[in-house]
Amino acid sequence: GCHRCFITGVTFKETDAIYMNDGFPYCESAYKEVFADHMCSGCGDGILGARQVALDKSWHPGCIKCASCECALQSNEIFVREEPGMAGGKWAVCQTHMACKYEALSEIGQKKLKGEEWCDWKERQAKARQLNEDNKLTRDSLLKERSMSESDR
């Protein structure tokens, strides 16, 4: 019960998954934020391991959702929506949100189609990566001090 996540400082429970990197323990969410190279376009979380690529976007397997209402979509019910003159590209939508007016889409759906930030993934990732580097520098500094004090004995 004394092991803690290198980023969050949260103590691991017996049932928690512990992700190790460079000898440091990470909880799943912190590990994703530091080490995932892709963000899921369905849930806005980091992708570790397998990913699907569709509509020029990355997705967790089985996480393709409607850009507006976020209902899960099966491969036979995916409609592709793209708004003319907007930078968001193509997005998977359900039949209802394929046929509706742009203004009837959710705020997140509108942001996705406009190409705007719709989740805080990049911010969370940058913060976690900075904490990771800061913690390593702190650890290295403490180890150096300990080594110097032991050599003075």
Side-chain angles (χ1 to χ4, degrees):
C2 63
H3 296 290
R4 296 177 179 272
C5 174
F6 188 61
I7 298 295
T8 65
V10 173
T11 302
F12 292 110
K13 296 182 196 101
E14 203 172 293
T15 56
D16 288 343
I18 300 174
Y19 293 77
M20 298 296 292
N21 185 284
D22 199 22
F24 300 107
Y26 297 85
C27 64
E28 183 177 14
S29 63
Y31 190 85
K32 282 182 195 177
E33 289 170 357
V34 174
F35 300 107
D37 291 325
H38 302 280
M39 180 199 79
C40 177
S41 294
C43 67
D45 221 352
I47 299 173
L48 300 173
R51 72 181 169 111
Q52 290 178 307
V53 177
L55 306 175
D56 297 322
K57 294 167 182 59
S58 296
W59 313 79
H60 287 111
C63 202
I64 296 180
K65 300 177 180 181
C66 174
S68 186
C69 69
E70 299 184 355
C71 70
L73 299 172
Q74 303 304 315
S75 59
N76 63 341
E77 56 187 25
I78 295 174
F79 293 83
V80 179
R81 182 159 180 164
E82 183 174 27
E83 292 294 315
M86 293 191 183
K90 297 176 181 173
W91 283 90
V93 292
C94 64
Q95 186 172 6
T96 300
H97 291 107
M98 181 64 198
C100 74
K101 292 186 178 189
Y102 174 78
E103 295 76 23
L105 296 172
S106 69
E107 181 182 350
I108 288 175
Q110 290 181 21
K111 285 182 175 187
K112 287 178 176 181
L113 288 164
K114 283 193 267 187
E116 296 177 353
E117 293 294 322
W118 57 273
C119 73
D120 62 353
W121 166 250
K122 288 181 183 175
E123 182 181 312
R124 290 189 340 247
Q125 186 180 47
K127 185 177 177 181
R129 287 182 172 177
Q130 185 61 54
L131 277 169
N132 193 51
E133 290 307 309
D134 293 350
N135 288 349
K136 285 183 178 182
L137 290 172
T138 300
R139 185 220 46 184
D140 290 346
S141 176
L142 290 171
L143 289 174
K144 186 176 179 182
E145 282 179 29
R146 186 181 298 155
S147 174
M148 291 174 69
S149 68
E150 288 175 358
S151 67
D152 289 344
R153 290 184 191 166

